[in-house]
């Protein structure tokens, strides 16, 4: 019946549900129709909202409401008492606002600048957290993890200055890091050791990382490694940042795993970098629908206390409806408009709206509408935060409304260009001084630069700051290196490394499987084994990791609530609350976020973990290089395993699956130690050394090295040879070792990964078919060879040059990568150099066919070697052409 009133056609979906009393159902719908006719749709919406709210209190399981009234979730009457001294906190916040603006303005004389408007809008969001919520770890507790919005960093520095953690000289080195002692522009842990914990300015990565950090905290707790039950993760975000796909990519994970230790705070100042976030829409309502639909608890803090009177005078709800339908672009205009404009445009629609503000003059109306936002009032922010942290059973998001650039003056506030405005003039500082009631004389502002302000180390403000942080467990942010070294790994000749050093005999084993077998054995170590964190994005069976399912288990906070379909099998799928494997589903970004949380647990939790993330090499670096850069910034440690590597080794998959360049991308990350091993014994040597460097204390690095490893491994089963000699260890780690020597070699074949097998076959062809002796080097890392050579400078001979010092013939390099990968070392090769590679796009076919296509197989290596020797006059000039005919090639 009611569908005739609304003009909508019912779907018939509800007709599939049993209705024991259709007459009663009809009476309810008729009653709703009557309310719409008599009191209007607004009244009907209110009644339905009340019914849904009542149903929730009665414990009825109903779908979430994704759009609630455009008012504060916590009304003024329900706000908890404020636990601090508001007057004192207002003075502290005023100092921080001033010093943040002064620091950026003073930096602008060097052409550096910075961002002021973000912190100006969000100051109270941080200050309330600092004073009453953010827990530190100086008292030995687990502490909180806080992801600060990158552009708000000046405010965090300003607060640290007031606390005595940073000096005025340090503030004056904002964005001036050369020579040391400077402050990085954004949260960069690597640049400012001991201060920042999380790099967040690469938009979207902060919220994604925060979700997986909160989940990893639960993982540590459920596995009995650390009690993180009192630890909370806070992520401060901008409403414009939520456009990034990574920002919302893991919302359902957080809800599904009931992460009530996670709080997002989204500063809805309605502005991006260039203009309004949703000029023609309403971002708060949009975000509420997104988060509520994903299962989050949504807390809205929109309007300041001054709006209470207007809402009370709005008896029919017309003002709220008007606000709900005012586009953000227009509301931003109201923030910068005068009262007369606001009266005519916002309240001029009906007599009832005009009566709501009839008692206010234009000046007061402009001030109220322009600046009264919940995000600028500590009591409102506190009430919203309290509602968020007291929610149980799922994550919370606080949508808080502010004005971008608030207190910076009319030239900044709510202006589209304020993100690019890098300084205030002295007359603008005078306006700011008067507005914040700060003790700055006109004489202090006569010069070119504004002064920094500090009330003094014994002032009430300084004492209050110190006491609040003492109660909450110490300074924040603070990166505390609670490094506890792990035992030295077993010697190479001992288990579990010895098995790979011995080779596999006739058994064919791919290097992917060699690594997985080694990892599985390392996880059995009675001391260190539980600290391994296997991570895989729903491809465990592809990489041969299913054997870990029954023993290690797949982590799930809910355990396994179903009977696995393969439960009768030996390698059945098993989920467990204390499971060790993080099987992330089809999300490389999520897997890297988990890897980062585990790789930095030595700092965030004082617990050394050893993550290894196994993935399709093509979908690692190419997709998530930005996250891996953030991992380096955060000084993460662990093993990335690019499995099914190579452009010709991944048979049949084609263009987008064929990786011929991840080693090149990896070489651009200074913290990444990348290897392309050919044999199982090389993997054993590399993994053991990686463990030693990253997790144990050495004389040179008593807290471990801030590096992570990238190993590319292949899915081509082949017999694994034994390590030729203990002397090979040094070369394996440095980047190359002689794996197939011959006397009086006419040429040197350098190969990496699976290409070493092609080089060995080429060595045979050259010897048997052409009587040309060549020797083969396994290049475990082109990148490490290049880095060592660059570091050598002009003072010493690089390792790669010394290794080939006795070579008299040319050098031919080959790999399953594009030629730019081996060409990294060409400048340090004194012999004639040529390289073969798989440049271009991948394609589907058999391995032999694709290798012939790219001219990297054994015949191609043979032909190229003969051609090079012929050019040097070392062999007969007609031999290359004869080789081309023999091997059926169209040409070199």
């Amino acid at each position: 019946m009611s569908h005739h009133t609304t003009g909508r056609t019912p779907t018939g979906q509800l007709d599939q549900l049993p209705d024991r009393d259709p007459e009663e159902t009809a009476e309810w719908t008729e009653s709703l129709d009557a309310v719409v006719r008599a009191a209007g749709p607004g009244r009907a919406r209110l009644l339905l909202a009340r019914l849904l709210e009542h149903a929730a209190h009665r414990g009825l399981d109903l779908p979430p409401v994704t759009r609630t009234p455009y008012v504060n979730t916590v009304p003024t009457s329900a706000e908890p008492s404020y636990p601090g001294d508001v007057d004192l906190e207002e003075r502290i916040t005023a100092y921080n606002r001033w010093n943040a603006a002064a620091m950026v303005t003073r930096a602008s004389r060097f052409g550096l600048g910075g961002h002021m408007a973000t912190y100006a809008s969000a100051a109270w969001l941080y200050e309330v957290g600092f004073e009453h919520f953010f827990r530190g770890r100086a008292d030995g507790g687990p502490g909180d993890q806080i992801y600060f919005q990158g552009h708000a960093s000046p405010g965090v520095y300003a607060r640290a200055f007031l606390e005595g953690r940073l000096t005025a000289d340090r503030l004056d080195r904002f964005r001036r890091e050369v020579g040391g002692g400077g402050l990085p522009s954004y949260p960069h842990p690597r640049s400012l050791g001991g201060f920042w914990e999380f790099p967040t300015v690469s938009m979207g990565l902060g919220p994604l990382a925060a979700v997986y950090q909160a989940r990893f905290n639960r993982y540590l707790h459920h596995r009995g490694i650390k009690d993180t039950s009192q630890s909370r993760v806070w992520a401060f975000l901008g409403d414009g940042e939520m456009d990034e796909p990574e920002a919302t990519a893991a919302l359902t994970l957080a809800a599904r795993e009931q992460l009530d230790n996670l709080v997002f705070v989204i500063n809805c100042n309605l502005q991006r970098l260039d203009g309004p976030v949703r000029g023609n829409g309403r971002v708060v309502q949009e975000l509420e629908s997104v988060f509520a639909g994903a299962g989050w608890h949504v807390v809205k803090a929109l309007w300041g206390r001054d709006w209470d009177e207007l809402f009370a005078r709005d008896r029919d709800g017309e003002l709220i409806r008007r606000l709900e339908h005012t586009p953000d672009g227009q509301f931003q205009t109201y923030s910068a408009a005068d009262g007369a404009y606001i009266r005519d445009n916002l309240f001029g629609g009906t007599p009832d709206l005009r009566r709501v503000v009839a008692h206010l003059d234009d000046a007061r109306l402009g001030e109220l509408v322009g600046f009264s936002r919940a995000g600028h009032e500590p009591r409102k922010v506190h009430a919203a935060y309290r509602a968020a942290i007291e929610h149980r059973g799922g994550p919370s998001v606080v949508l808080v409304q502010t004005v971008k650039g608030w207190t910076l003056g009319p030239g900044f506030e709510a202006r589209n260009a304020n993100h690019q405005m890098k300084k205030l003039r002295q007359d603008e500082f005078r306006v700011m001084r008067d507005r914040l009631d700060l003790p700055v004389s006109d004489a202090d502002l006569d010069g070119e630069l504004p002064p920094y302000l500090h009330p003094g180390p014994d002032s009430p403000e300084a004492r209050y700051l110190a006491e609040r942080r003492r109660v909450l467990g110490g300074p924040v942010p603070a990166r505390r290196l609670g490094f506890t070294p792990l035992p030295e790994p077993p010697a190479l000749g001992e288990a579990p490394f010895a098995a790979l050093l011995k080779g596999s005999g006739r058994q064919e084993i791919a290097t992917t499987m060699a690594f997985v077998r080694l990892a599985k054995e390392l996880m059995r170590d009675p001391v260190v084994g539980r600290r391994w964190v296997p991570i895989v994005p729903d491809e465990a069976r592809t990489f041969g990791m299913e054997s870990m399912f029954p023993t290690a288990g797949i982590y799930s906070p809910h355990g396994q609530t179903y009977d696995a379909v393969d439960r009768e099998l030996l390698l059945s799928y098993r989920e467990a609350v204390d499971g060790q494997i993080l099987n992330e589903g089809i999300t490389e970004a999520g897997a890297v976020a988990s890897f980062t949380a585990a790789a930095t647990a030595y700092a965030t939790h004082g617990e050394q973990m050893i993550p290894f993330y196994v993935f399709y090499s093509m979908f690692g670096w190419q997709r998530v290089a930005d996250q891996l850069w953030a991992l380096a910034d955060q000084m993460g440690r662990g093993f990335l395993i690019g499995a099914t590597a190579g452009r010709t080794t991944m048979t049949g998959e084609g263009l987008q699956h064929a990786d011929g360049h991840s080693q090149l991308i990896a070489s651009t990350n200074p913290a990444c130690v990348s290897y392309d091993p050919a044999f199982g014994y090389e993997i054993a040597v590399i993994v053991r050394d990686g463990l030693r460097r990253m997790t144990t204390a050495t004389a040179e690095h008593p807290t471990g090295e801030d590096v992570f490893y990238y190993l590319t491994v292949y899915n081509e089963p082949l017999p694994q040879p034994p390590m030729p000699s203990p002397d090979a260890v040094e070369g394996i780690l440095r980047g190359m070792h002689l794996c197939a020597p011959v006397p009086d070699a006419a040429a040197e074949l350098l190969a990496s990964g699976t290409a070493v097998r092609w080089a060995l076959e080429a060595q045979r062809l050259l010897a048997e078919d052409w009587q040309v002796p060549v020797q083969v080097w396994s290049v475990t890392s082109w990148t490490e060879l290049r880095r060592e050579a660059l570091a050598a400078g002009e003072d010493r001979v690089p390792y790669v040059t010394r290794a080939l010092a006795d070579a008299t013939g040319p050098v031919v390099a080959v790999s399953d990568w594009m030629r730019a990968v081996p060409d990294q070392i060409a400048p340090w090769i004194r012999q004639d150099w040529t390289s073969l590679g798989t440049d271009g796009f991948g394609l589907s076919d058999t391995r032999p066919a694709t290798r012939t296509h790219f001219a990297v197989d054994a015949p191609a290596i043979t032909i190229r070697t003969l051609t090079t020797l012929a050019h040097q006059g070392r062999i007969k000039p007609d031999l290359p052409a004869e080789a081309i005919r023999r091997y059926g090639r169209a040409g070199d």
Side-chain angles (χ1 to χ4, degrees), residues 131 186-187 211-212 269 287 291 334 369 408 423 431 445 464 479 587 594 686 692 747 767 770 789 791 836 870 891:
E131 305 293 11
Y186 303 124
V211 170
Y212 283 88
N269 57 34
L287 290 175
F291 278 89
Y334 294 146
V369 174
L408 295 180
K423 63 181 179 179
V431 173
L445 295 173
Y464 186 86
R479 186 177 190 272
T587 166
S594 273
I686 293 165
R692 181 190 64 82
W770 313 102
L836 301 173

Side-chain angles (χ1 to χ4, degrees), residues 190 479 595 599-600 602 608-609 611 628 631-640 669-675 689-695 701 703-710 784 787:
R190 186 174 284 272
R479 186 177 190 272
F595 182 86
T600 57
Y602 72 94
Q608 186 79 244
M609 307 300 289
L628 296 177
L631 170 72
D633 192 347
Q634 202 172 330
M635 293 167 280
R637 305 169 181 179
F639 295 95
L640 297 172
N669 192 308
C672 177
V673 181
S674 61
Y675 285 97
D689 194 62
L691 286 173
R692 181 190 64 82
R693 292 178 64 182
M694 293 186 291
T695 69
H701 299 281
T703 58
E705 290 188 55
D706 295 325
V707 296
F708 62 93
Y709 277 57
Y710 178 52
E784 287 302 294
R787 287 176 177 172

Side-chain angles (χ1 to χ4, degrees), residues 871-882:
H871 287 164
Q872 292 183 348
R874 298 167 67 102
I875 61 173
K876 295 178 180 180
D878 58 346
L879 288 188
E882 185 179 341

Side-chain angles (χ1 to χ4, degrees), residues 264-328:
F264 276 18
V265 179
I266 303 181
N267 179 14
C268 298
N269 57 34
L270 313 185
Q271 288 184 243
R272 287 196 189 111
L273 308 187
D274 288 333
V277 178
R278 294 289 182 272
N280 296 309
R282 289 157 297 280
V283 72
V284 170
Q285 291 163 288
E286 178 183 320
L287 290 175
E288 179 184 25
S289 295
V290 169
F291 278 89
W296 286 54
H297 173 230
V298 179
V299 180
K300 291 192 291 190
L302 308 178
W303 311 110
R305 186 177 292 260
D306 287 346
W307 284 85
D308 290 348
E309 181 184 3
L310 302 189
F311 292 141
R313 296 167 67 93
D314 176 34
R315 297 184 178 180
D316 294 326
E318 190 169 352
L319 173 57
I320 293 175
R321 287 195 295 276
R322 183 61 185 272
L323 293 172
E324 286 178 338
H325 291 88
T326 299
D328 285 352

Side-chain angles (χ1 to χ4, degrees), residues 349-589:
T350 67
D352 288 341
L353 273 178
R354 287 194 290 272
R355 280 194 292 270
V356 168
V357 294
H359 63 297
L360 301 176
D361 60 27
D362 285 350
R364 176 61 182 142
L365 180 60
E367 181 182 3
L368 188 156
V369 174
F371 303 121
S372 182
R373 304 286 188 276
H376 301 324
E377 298 184 13
R379 287 185 174 87
K380 298 291 184 187
V381 175
H382 174 265
Y385 286 3
R386 183 61 57 189
I389 68 170
E390 290 179 353
H391 177 72
R392 294 292 177 267
S396 294
V397 58
V398 179
L399 303 176
V400 57
Q401 193 162 251
T402 67
V403 174
K404 193 168 185 178
W406 192 59
T407 73
L408 295 180
F412 263 82
E413 291 164 333
R415 302 296 175 178
N416 280 339
N418 60 20
H419 188 80
Q420 282 73 36
M421 297 164 73
K422 310 299 185 187
K423 63 181 179 179
L424 289 174
R425 301 187 308 270
Q426 293 296 60
D427 60 318
E428 291 174 317
F429 271 108
R430 289 186 176 90
V431 173
M432 186 179 182
R433 170 202 63 187
D434 296 340
R435 191 164 179 178
L436 298 176
D437 192 24
L438 286 166
V440 186
S441 68
D442 286 340
D444 292 332
L445 295 173
D446 283 344
E448 294 183 3
L449 300 175
Y452 294 121
L453 301 181
H454 197 294
D458 296 323
S459 64
E461 293 89 346
R463 291 198 301 269
Y464 186 86
L465 285 174
E467 175 60 16
R468 291 310 305 153
R469 292 317 312 162
R470 185 194 66 79
V471 170
L472 288 169
V476 170
R479 186 177 190 272
R480 296 189 173 274
L481 185 60
F483 179 79
T484 301
L486 296 181
E488 183 84 11
L492 281 172
E494 300 175 1
F497 301 108
L500 291 183
L501 266 60
K502 293 177 182 177
S504 64
R506 295 182 179 179
Q507 183 183 9
E508 294 186 340
I509 299 175
T511 50
T512 297
M513 182 55 65
F515 173 82
V516 170
R517 288 185 179 181
L518 175 61
K520 187 176 180 181
E521 292 301 314
L522 287 166
M523 287 167 61
R524 291 175 176 168
D525 185 280
V527 177
V528 180
R530 72 191 192 114
R531 296 190 174 273
W532 285 85
V533 184
I535 302 170
V536 63
D538 198 39
E539 288 283 1
R541 298 182 192 279
T542 300
F543 307 132
M545 295 174 64
E546 67 271 23
S547 61
M548 295 182 180
F549 289 168
T551 54
I554 300 164
Y555 172 71
S556 169
H558 310 298
Q560 186 158 308
T561 60
Y562 60 92
D563 293 330
V565 68
D566 57 358
R567 62 189 179 278
E568 303 297 333
L569 301 179
L570 180 63
L571 303 181
S572 63
Y573 198 83
R574 184 176 75 87
E575 299 185 65
V577 173
D578 62 348
Q580 193 165 358
I581 302 168
L582 292 175
N583 192 317
E584 298 295 3
I586 305 175
T587 166
E588 288 84 5

